[in-house]
Structure formats: structure tokens, C-alpha cells
Amino acid sequence: MATVADHVIEALRISGVRRVYGLPGDSLNGFTDAIRRSGEISWEHVRHEETAGFAAAADAALSGGLAVCAGSCGPGNLHLINGLFDAHRSRVPVLAIAAHIPRTEIGSEYFQETHPQELFRECSVYCELVSTPEMAPRILEMAMRAAVEENGVAVVVVPGEIFLQRAGSSGWNARPVVATRSVVRPDDESLQRAATILNDAEAVTILGGAGVAGSHDVLIAAAATLNAPIVHALRGKEFIEYENPYDVGMTGLLGFASGYKAINECDALLMLGTDFPYQQFYPDNAKVVQVDIRGRNLGRRTPIELGLVGSVKDTLAALQPMLSQKSRREHLDRSLRHYSKTRKRMDDLAVNDRDRTPIRPEYVAGLANRLATDDAVFTADVGSPVVWAARYLTMNGRRRLIGSFNHGTMACALPLAIGAQTAYRDRQVVALAGDGGLTMMFGELLTLIQNRLPVKVIVFNNSSLNFVELEMKAAGIVNFGTDLVNPDFAAIAEAMGIFGRRVEAPSGLEAALVEAFEFDGPAIIDVVTARQELSIPPAITVEQAKGFSLYAIRTILAGRADELLDLATTNVARRILD
């Protein structure tokens, strides 16, 4: 008779799972031994369980299927939480196996005791404890079903000894668990109300997010009918900006002035599959029609005229025949002109600035974009790397861009890249890492060697928590606690057995990137970038302008006027995006 762990592995196998990310531990021994004996599911060993959660999230995001991670009892599964929060907020299907202390010791403050059901509840769509072998098949089936149907994290908590107990076959684990396929759209009356609002408007703008995935053709058709510029939120970038004559860029703190302007000047805003959180970037007086697969999201960011529950693809397909072709296109043309001007000004910054040092981060991102393959997967750390990724990476319908865009955690680029490269061994994976983010999860560089993952890591090495410094400047606060004393990352990479190149001058950057990208194995390109480069948001508030002035005054009074000189020198050629 097989063990409970054997049945778990078989249930995962028949449902298409081929990898489990994790770190071994005694309470997981029964589970990992079942993987060893299975021969069909691989154990993807990482150095920190947080990475297991991130790697599973990237795997699920790219494959569209269920991904699995595991952690041992107490600290082991606690380490999963940040990665699982990211997966949950990115809405990808991940199953976490969280081992627990012995069942008879629960509640006794036993060694490494925690309360996993309470701890994981906030970052999961399902979380349950397996108390007996007989419970395991049904709970596992329900967890997997919740993960794939709700696109979220499901957690199964299993005391270590339960894995090793014998259990007979059950109907619950004899059939694969795969996501259902459905047509989801509003009724015709609701669609007609939406069409009336959009047809009556003089200037319509579309704002799209990650929910637009798979809807490119119907999105373009709607924009053509409405003569509507299309703005995207960050998570919508990879699904919206390619082959799109209506694209006017991104909005938000990392976005373009043109995206902000197109939304601010419309009298009807069509929101598609986006939960864009920043209220200050929504129009004040426009009528808003919002489409989302999750009804709870409707109207929670800005007041809406009409909410529609449905997938973007199904809803737009049904709405299209009800829309009237607009003849006037002043709003669209004005938005496109502004975007063209904004795009040119941004591209003018992504250059080798007369070989001046330190290197412009825009130049680094622009070169990486040009040299990467047509189907590259990019991951980006939160902070300044994600700014440059958002502005200078070009999506084409085949490339992917993954990051902690909802959860906003540091140190995500390398762990996400591990999952992406594990799932797609023959695809180029490029991690845009901050120096702070990389060093936070530095041990995972060893995972690249151990698991033979040819990830290319580009380090934006500005010896600071750069984006935090920008936030301090905007608030009028003298920078404090943001310095990073960094090593030569390339030298450390070489000591680990990883290809490494350090670049301090712009003239050497392209050759280093080409060499690293062509290398058959993991590589680190340590690029010394400008610390004082300003990533100006598209709309600067009066408070932020005051903040920069206060920062300047307080910095001088603190005896650090050299910082202001460095700031001015770095940005003297920059023209503020209007």
C-alpha cells in the first residue's frame, strides 16, 4: 500500500505538474522521498524557501498551469510566505505544501510550532490542515481546484508523519485537476448600457491591465471603432503595447506623461482587466465603464458609471457589434502626438552620453532590450530596475515581463528568473536586478550553478537603495540609511563559477552584454550606474515639487552640498517629460 506522499505525488503528476520547488527538511522527508521514487516529478532545490514561492509563481505565470512549492515545518514554511503573497496578488495558480509539526504536539508550543492555517490565510484562496491520511486526497483535490479556478495560492498543511502513513486509493486522486474553460460576459442589457456611454462620449480612452491577456485582437478592434488611445498599467504592458497603433504608453508612478494626459483629457474611460491602484491618476469628471472578471474589484479605485463582470475577451467580443464607428479622432491624434514626443525624449536618454561615467541606467535597459532574443523572459526587481524595464523594454507578443508588480517586494528578479528558466530551459531569461535586491537573496546565485540555469543577471549597481532615495527627495527628506557598500559582483560571480563582467564605462557595455548573452551558462553583468538619475513620474504634484526644494535646502544645511552637485550633473541633459 502506498504512502500518503505517494498519492500526493501521483495526483500532482496526473494533473500535469512536473516540478516542485523547495528546500528539504525533516518534516518533508516523506514528501521529498516520494518525489525521488516517482521518477517523473523533479525536485528543484533552492537556497531559501522564499525563492521557492517566487519560482513557482513565475512557472505558473509562464506556463498557465499549476505550479508547486514546498516548505518544512515552522521556519521552513514561514519562509514561503513572501513568495506566496506575490503569487497570490499576481493571480497565478500555485499549490504550497506546508509541512507541520507532529499532529499530537499541535497546541503544546512544540519545537518550531506555528499555526500555518492562520499564517497563510491572507495570501491564499484555500488553506487547510490534513489531520488524518483519509482526509488527504479530498483536501488536496479541493486545494488544486481552488488554485486553478481562482488563479491564486492554495496551501495544504500536512504534519510530517502523515506523509509516511499508508493509505488506499481514492477516487479523489484518480482524476486530473485542470482549469475549466468558460465564456464569461455580461448580459445584453448591460452591454447596451456600456455601448451607449461609449457611443455618446466625444473622447474615449482605454486603460488596460493584465486581464487583457489573450484579448489583443478584440482590444485593437474596439480602439479602432472608438478612436480611443490605449493606456496600459504595468502588468498590461506585455499584452497591450505590441502591434498597437493606438498605444500611448503607461500611466502611474512609473509611466509616461502621455498616458496620464490621455486619461486626464477623456470624457469616458473604459477600464479593461485592471485594478490599477493609484487614485490620483484617474480622471476627475469622466464616465467610467469597468470590466473585470472579479466583481469585487468594480468601483474600488475610482467611482464608476457602470461595472461589468466578465473576461475582457468575451466582453469586448459581445460589445463590439453595439459600438458605433466614431468619425472624429482629435482626442486620439492629440494623444498619439504627445506619446510620440514623450517617447522620443525618453529614447534620447537611453544613450552613451559621450562616454561619461557612471553609466545611465536608461542606456543599460535600452541595450538589454535591443540585444535580447525575440522571445526573452525579463524579470525586474522592485525599485529603479522596474522603472527602466517599464520604459525601455519592448514587448512583441512573444516576450514576457514578470515582476512583483502588485506585491512590490524587493529581491524578486533572481528568484522569478529561476522559476522562468526552470520551466523553459531553452528560452533566454534576463533578470534586471538592483544591487539591494540581488544581495538580499544573494545565495540564489548558487542555485543557478547547482541547477544549471543559464540566467543572465544584469545588476544596476548604484551603491544605494535608489528608488527609496527618490521617495525621500520627493518628501523633502535628506537621504539616510540608503547607502550600500557593494563588492565587485562580477568577481564574486567568477569565484562561484559563474561568468562575470564588471562594466564601469559606457563604451564597454555592449560588448559585455553580447558576451554574457552568448555564454552557455549563468552570467552576471555588474554595471556601475548613475546613482542620482531621476525617474520623474508623469505628473509631479505641488507637494512633490515642494519636497524637492526642501530636500535641497536640508541637504545643504546637513553639509552635503556635494550630493546636489552630483544630482545636477547627472540630470543636466535631462528634459523633464511634460
Side-chain angles (χ1 to χ4, degrees):
M1 185 180 293
T3 66
V4 168
D6 290 327
H7 287 299
V8 171
I9 296 305
E10 178 60 14
L12 296 177
R13 185 194 68 80
I14 65 174
S15 297
V17 174
R18 293 295 177 266
R19 297 169 291 277
V20 177
Y21 301 90
L23 194 67
D26 59 347
S27 55
L28 269 178
N29 283 346
F31 181 71
T32 52
D33 189 58
I35 291 177
R36 178 187 64 82
R37 289 183 281 104
S38 75
E40 295 191 52
I41 292 182
S42 64
W43 176 254
E44 301 298 338
H45 183 74
V46 297
R47 299 303 176 108
H48 194 292
E49 289 90 351
E50 181 176 333
T51 293
F54 277 114
D59 190 323
L62 291 176
S63 69
L66 182 68
V68 182
C69 60
S72 57
C73 68
N77 59 56
L78 275 175
H79 285 164
L80 290 172
I81 285 182
N82 198 43
L84 293 183
F85 255 103
D86 185 78
H88 185 63
R89 300 192 72 182
S90 296
R91 300 195 69 240
V92 291
V94 170
L95 173 69
I97 304 295
H100 202 8
I101 64 171
R103 178 183 49 184
T104 56
E105 297 291 349
I106 294 174
S108 70
E109 298 189 10
Y110 189 71
F111 176 65
Q112 293 189 321
E113 181 173 8
T114 59
H115 296 86
Q117 297 102 295
E118 297 177 23
L119 292 167
F120 289 109
R121 196 169 308 283
E122 192 177 349
C123 63
S124 65
V125 295
Y126 181 92
C127 182
E128 195 51 76
L129 170 70
V130 175
S131 298
T132 69
E134 294 77 18
M135 296 170 63
R138 188 180 180 192
I139 285 178
L140 181 65
E141 199 276 346
M142 289 189 290
M144 295 167 67
R145 178 63 63 189
V148 299
E149 299 297 349
E150 298 187 45
N151 282 316
V153 172
V155 183
V156 176
V157 181
V158 188
E161 76 277 11
I162 296 289
F163 282 125
L164 297 168
Q165 293 181 15
R166 301 289 171 175
S169 297
S170 165
W172 296 108
N173 58 10
R175 299 169 181 82
V177 177
V178 293
T180 57
R181 299 175 63 182
S182 305
V183 173
V184 185
R185 71 168 182 85
D187 65 4
D188 289 344
E189 181 180 350
S190 299
L191 289 170
Q192 189 58 63
R193 287 182 60 199
T196 299
I197 294 171
L198 298 172
N199 289 335
D200 289 347
E202 292 187 6
V204 178
T205 294
I206 296 173
L207 170 63
V212 173
S215 310
H216 192 267
D217 290 346
V218 289
L219 171 67
I220 299 301
T225 301
L226 296 170
N227 284 337
I230 302 176
V231 181
H232 61 264
L234 178 54
R235 290 190 63 214
K237 174 182 173 70
E238 57 181 331
F239 308 117
I240 291 173
E241 74 174 13
Y242 70 95
E243 297 175 9
N244 182 353
Y246 306 96
D247 177 38
V248 296
M250 193 173 77
T251 188
L253 297 171
L254 312 183
F256 309 164
S258 53
Y260 172 80
K261 185 178 177 68
I263 289 178
N264 196 50
E265 294 182 353
C266 73
D267 59 2
L269 178 67
L270 177 58
M271 294 175 60
L272 300 174
T274 181
D275 192 34
F276 178 71
Y278 302 107
Q279 296 182 43
Q280 64 268 38
F281 290 94
Y282 284 99
D284 293 327
N285 301 309
K287 293 182 178 180
V288 179
V289 177
Q290 183 178 3
V291 179
D292 203 293
I293 196 71
R294 298 162 293 169
R296 63 178 293 176
N297 284 9
L298 298 175
R300 74 175 179 176
R301 304 304 183 189
T302 190
I304 62 174
E305 193 77 14
L306 177 64
L308 303 173
V309 173
S311 74
V312 173
K313 183 176 182 179
D314 296 332
T315 301
L316 284 185
L319 179 64
Q320 180 65 35
M322 302 178 185
L323 298 177
S324 300
Q325 177 65 56
K326 291 189 180 295
S327 57
R328 300 184 61 180
R329 47 178 294 149
E330 290 90 341
H331 174 59
L332 173 61
D333 289 339
R334 186 168 57 249
S335 299
L336 289 172
R337 285 194 300 271
H338 195 278
Y339 174 59
S340 178
K341 180 174 65 174
T342 301
R343 183 74 259 174
K344 183 180 184 305
R345 290 183 175 181
M346 291 175 61
D347 290 342
D348 287 346
L349 298 172
V351 296
N352 177 350
D353 185 16
R354 293 164 291 172
D355 217 32
R356 292 172 58 185
T357 60
I359 301 168
R360 285 185 178 275
E362 299 97 327
Y363 183 50
V364 181
L367 268 182
N369 175 65
R370 178 164 62 83
L371 297 173
T373 60
D374 284 345
D375 66 344
V377 178
F378 294 94
T379 65
D381 267 336
V382 165
S384 56
V386 81
V387 177
W388 314 128
R391 295 181 180 179
Y392 293 101
L393 295 184
T394 303
M395 298 293 105
N396 57 13
R398 297 178 300 280
R399 286 178 167 181
R400 297 296 307 272
L401 174 60
I402 303 173
S404 186
F405 301 145
N406 282 7
H407 188 46
T409 183
M410 282 181 65
C412 65
L414 178 56
L416 288 170
I418 287 171
Q421 193 74 86
T422 302
Y424 292 90
R425 295 273 176 169
D426 297 328
R427 200 167 173 179
Q428 186 183 67
V429 177
V430 181
L432 305 182
D435 44 4
L438 178 66
T439 52
M440 184 178 281
M441 297 296 285
F442 208 55
E444 297 304 336
L445 292 175
L446 296 170
T447 300
L448 301 183
I449 290 293
Q450 180 165 328
N451 295 4
R452 298 182 176 87
L453 300 173
V455 172
K456 315 305 179 187
V457 182
I458 300 174
V459 187
F460 288 76
N461 185 352
N462 49 43
S463 298
S464 67
L465 299 175
N466 186 247
F467 203 76
V468 178
E469 289 191 337
L470 178 61
E471 292 169 332
M472 288 180 173
K473 291 181 177 75
I477 297 172
V478 176
N479 291 157
F480 177 77
T482 56
D483 292 330
L484 297 177
V485 178
N486 289 329
D488 182 331
F489 293 116
I492 292 178
E494 294 280 1
M496 289 180 171
I498 298 173
F499 177 96
R501 289 290 181 271
R502 182 175 173 89
V503 184
E504 298 181 357
S507 58
L509 180 60
E510 182 167 356
L513 286 173
V514 169
E515 193 177 5
F517 283 3
E518 291 179 349
F519 180 73
D520 185 18
I524 290 181
I525 310 94
D526 178 12
V527 187
V528 180
T529 56
R531 179 172 182 167
Q532 299 285 10
E533 191 76 3
L534 288 176
S535 51
I536 301 295
I540 300 178
T541 65
V542 173
E543 290 75 16
Q544 287 171 328
K546 290 179 180 177
F548 276 106
S549 299
L550 286 172
Y551 159 75
I553 293 169
R554 290 168 178 169
T555 298
I556 291 171
L557 292 177
R560 288 159 54 179
D562 57 319
E563 288 187 13
L564 289 180
L565 178 61
D566 188 21
L567 181 68
T569 301
T570 302
N571 292 278
V572 68
R574 172 186 287 278
R575 288 170 289 178
I576 301 301
L577 306 182
D578 60 350

